[in-house]
Amino acid sequence: MDVLTSEQRRQNMQAIRAKDTGIEKTIRRIVWRLGYRYRLNSKSVIGRPDLAFISRRKAIFVHGCFWHRHPGCRLTTTPKTNPEKWQKKFTANIARDTLVQQKLQEAGWKSLVIWECEIKDRAALTERLQAFLSES
Ligand SMILES: [Zn+2]
């Protein structure tokens, strides 16, 4: 049984989105400190990545584990209300993500997905970002 009203549910979803934004900011800060400059949500790049490095042809996507369905992650829950509706939404998200990755690759771009839960280990995250950005 669902214990949340639709208003509470809406507020929860907003909180999740706000959290996503916090992750993006953290990633931006790390990348900036590493000395890389980027374009934010550039419409000229396939899939409008969170961070785009145009001349390097590299893109970073910051994915919330819930919305983008991080496999095996404890944040990848499914709401009890309208599971079919949610499943449909999730399936569409995954299909879109996969298509974007594929199209970027075809266009000669490299892309990196950072998951929300990876933010906990700042050192490992910084290392991953550095490795991705420095590789030619
Ligand atoms: Zn996760």
Side-chain angles (χ1 to χ4, degrees), residues 65 70 73 75 115 117:
C65 299
H70 189 193
C73 177
L75 300 174
W115 294 98
C117 60

Side-chain angles (χ1 to χ4, degrees), residues 63-66 69-76 115-118:
H63 280 181
C65 299
F66 175 80
R69 313 313 279 168
H70 189 193
C73 177
R74 67 176 177 82
L75 300 174
T76 309
W115 294 98
E116 167 187 5
C117 60
E118 289 185 72

